[in-house]
């Protein structure tokens, strides 16, 4: 079971990392804009970047551990 979970994480970690990274890199420059667009959209960009980063960390660490604990019994 442990090997299956590790193999599954190994299969999808590049895809999950790439998808999250591209979206983070799209919204990250909006945070540093000083124009009116930056003032309007910087809070939304911060929320998207933070939520995607936390989602990436959780999906690659916490979810496999949780799957192991659930399927162990």
């Amino acid at each position: 079971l442990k090997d299956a979970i590790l193999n599954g994480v190994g299969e999808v970690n590049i895809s999950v990392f790439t998808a999250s990274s591209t979206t983070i890199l799209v919204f990250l420059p909006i945070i540093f804009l000083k124009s009116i667009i930056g003032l309007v959209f910087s809070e939304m960009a911060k929320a998207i970047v933070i939520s995607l980063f936390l989602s990436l960390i959780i999906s690659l660490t916490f979810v496999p551990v949780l799957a192991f604990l659930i399927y162990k019994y």
Side-chain angles (χ1 to χ4, degrees), residues 3 31-32 35 38 40 43 48-51 60-61 65 71-72:
D3 292 334
I31 296 171
F32 301 109
S35 64
V40 172
E43 296 298 321
I48 291 172
V49 167
I50 291 170
S51 64
L60 293 179
T61 58
V65 171
Y71 290 121
K72 187 169 78 171

Side-chain angles (χ1 to χ4, degrees), residues 11-50:
E11 288 282 328
V12 299
N13 67 356
I14 300 292
S15 301
V16 170
F17 179 76
T18 305
S20 297
S21 297
T22 54
T23 309
I24 287 172
L25 289 175
V26 166
F27 284 101
L28 196 60
I30 297 173
I31 296 171
F32 301 109
L33 290 176
K34 299 295 181 195
S35 64
I36 189 72
I37 295 172
L39 292 173
V40 172
F41 293 114
S42 67
E43 296 298 321
M44 181 187 67
K46 286 178 190 175
I48 291 172
V49 167
I50 291 170

